[in-house]
Amino acid sequence: MSKHKQIDAPPVFNNLVENYDHLGLPVELIDPKNDFTIHKLNDIHHELPYKSPVYRANFYSFLFVKNGHGKYTTDELEFSTEPGTIYFTNPGHYKSFEWTSLEEVFLVTMSESFLKENVHANIFEEFPFLLAETVPPRVLKPEVYAEIEPLYQQIYKEYFSSSPYKNKMMGNLFVVILLKIKEYFWEDYNPIYEGNRSSQIVKTFKRTLEKHYRELSTGKATKVFRSQDYAAEQNLHPSYLNNVIKAKTGKSVTTWITDKTITEAKSMLQNSTTPIKQIADQLGFAESAHFSNYFKKYTDITPVLYRKQLSKG
């Protein structure tokens, strides 16, 4: 039985290039070296209708449908997409999509690292809805959609530019989009599926994880949480918490902690005046060498070289 489940498990993708490669879709318009992507779906899907298999995506997706029709599923929930739709999902969900018509639809994807480095340092504090478990799409009034369209159109233009500042420009433009979403999309937000106990556990875990690392980075917290600490925050057994998180997101608690540590390290390394030893201390490493080895293990580059690359960019 376990072997059968393993064979049938949906594939997991850490970026859009991996995703499209697996689906047999063209990737020539996508920069594989950037944690941010934007493209027109009508440039990708040349034959319609198209229906994808189920998969997990470990990145954020934002869909802007000016004119198109289809369906998206997130976990077991299905949503229709129609002209004027804006829709987003965060990492870890089972997803699939279907398109019957595509006139003008843009898809934006990005990693958490990109969000923190180029969009907003305190991204989840400013835009807490990004941590919500499942959010239904919204169909905006034409006049509201018209306010957002020029923003992603400009991002699209910058994406294909050679400017050394393009990530920052795209990030700043995306802040405005998020503010518009916060203003129009979220004012009467009524979460669905949040009553499910597992979803509540995942949502609380994500918020606790984000809050704790924010406190570590600012020096308000000195003790680094481990799996058992996150379980204790919800009065759960560590094994139970891990089983829920793994089942709902496809990643263990330990993997979430690792990913968050690397994301925060990258964000803190942007400040060239902060000594690497201090960053190591704040993230719970007793020795700078241990931090350097850990960072290199998951990024293939040392903190020193990563910082040098940032200064060149």
Side-chain angles (χ1 to χ4, degrees):
M1 179 66 73
S2 61
K3 286 185 178 179
H4 178 72
K5 282 186 177 180
Q6 188 173 0
I7 292 171
D8 289 344
V12 179
F13 306 113
N14 293 314
N15 57 60
L16 191 66
V17 172
E18 288 181 7
N19 192 175
Y20 277 8
D21 268 339
H22 181 84
L23 297 177
L25 297 172
V27 295
E28 293 80 10
L29 297 175
I30 301 166
D31 181 0
K33 297 178 182 178
N34 202 324
D35 283 346
F36 182 100
T37 75
I38 181 169
H39 65 284
K40 298 177 186 177
L41 289 187
N42 30 309
D43 288 339
I44 299 293
H45 296 284
H46 301 299
E47 294 184 11
L48 295 175
Y50 179 89
K51 186 174 183 178
S52 80
V54 176
Y55 59 91
R56 279 193 192 269
N58 283 335
F59 50 87
Y60 289 83
S61 297
F62 297 81
L63 190 71
F64 301 94
V65 184
K66 184 176 183 181
N67 195 357
H69 292 85
K71 292 179 183 177
Y72 263 71
T73 62
T74 301
D75 299 326
E76 61 265 44
L77 298 170
E78 183 177 280
F79 307 111
S80 294
T81 51
E82 58 185 88
T85 297
I86 290 183
Y87 178 44
F88 84 87
T89 57
N90 51 28
H93 298 285
Y94 286 114
K95 296 171 64 176
S96 66
F97 60 88
E98 180 179 351
W99 288 106
T100 53
S101 69
L102 283 169
E103 295 297 327
E104 189 172 321
V105 179
F106 280 78
L107 176 66
V108 174
T109 72
M110 68 192 76
S111 67
E112 182 178 325
S113 291
F114 187 94
L115 278 168
K116 290 213 158 186
E117 292 169 28
N118 298 289
V119 180
H120 198 291
N122 296 318
I123 187 72
F124 302 119
E125 184 176 5
E126 182 67 29
F127 305 107
F129 57 83
L130 293 176
L131 293 176
E133 268 297 275
T134 306
V135 182
R138 287 293 180 93
V139 179
L140 301 181
K141 295 177 181 177
E143 61 269 24
V144 176
Y145 193 91
E147 293 179 19
I148 295 174
E149 183 183 4
L151 296 168
Y152 67 71
Q153 291 276 13
Q154 186 63 34
I155 291 173
Y156 182 72
K157 179 181 176 182
E158 297 300 339
Y159 183 71
F160 292 101
S161 77
S162 57
S163 170
Y165 308 110
K166 75 175 187 178
N167 279 356
K168 282 295 181 186
M169 287 190 283
M170 292 190 300
N172 281 302
L173 287 163
F174 206 78
V175 166
V176 183
I177 289 179
L178 289 176
L179 287 168
K180 290 289 185 184
I181 289 174
K182 190 176 182 178
E183 180 182 8
Y184 293 118
F185 196 100
W186 216 256
E187 57 187 356
D188 59 348
Y189 171 58
N190 182 20
I192 58 173
Y193 199 54
E194 303 282 34
N196 178 291
R197 174 60 175 151
S198 295
S199 294
Q200 286 284 1
I201 289 171
V202 173
K203 183 173 69 172
T204 301
F205 167 71
K206 287 180 180 179
R207 287 180 174 172
T208 304
L209 184 75
E210 171 58 29
K211 179 176 181 287
H212 180 60
Y213 273 83
R214 188 167 66 247
E215 291 177 348
L216 285 173
S217 67
T218 58
K220 291 182 180 178
T222 56
K223 174 182 177 282
V224 177
F225 278 6
R226 305 302 178 199
S227 297
Q228 57 267 32
D229 299 306
Y230 289 103
E233 284 285 310
Q234 298 194 58
N235 298 313
L236 300 172
H237 190 281
S239 295
Y240 180 72
L241 175 67
N242 192 63
N243 288 340
V244 170
I245 299 300
K246 184 72 183 291
K248 290 285 291 179
T249 72
K251 298 196 297 185
S252 67
V253 171
T254 301
T255 302
W256 275 98
I257 293 171
T258 298
D259 290 349
K260 178 60 76 173
T261 300
I262 295 298
T263 297
E264 291 301 320
K266 286 180 175 180
S267 180
M268 293 164 78
L269 285 165
Q270 288 186 83
N271 186 344
S272 59
T273 63
T274 306
I276 288 177
K277 184 182 186 309
Q278 181 181 330
I279 294 173
D281 288 342
Q282 286 180 254
L283 293 175
F285 295 89
E287 301 288 340
S288 297
H290 182 199
F291 169 63
S292 183
N293 291 336
Y294 183 93
F295 190 86
K296 187 175 182 180
K297 177 182 177 181
Y298 293 104
T299 65
D300 295 325
I301 190 171
T302 66
V304 173
L305 288 176
Y306 179 80
R307 178 170 270 173
K308 283 183 179 177
Q309 283 188 357
L310 287 175
S311 63
K312 289 178 182 176

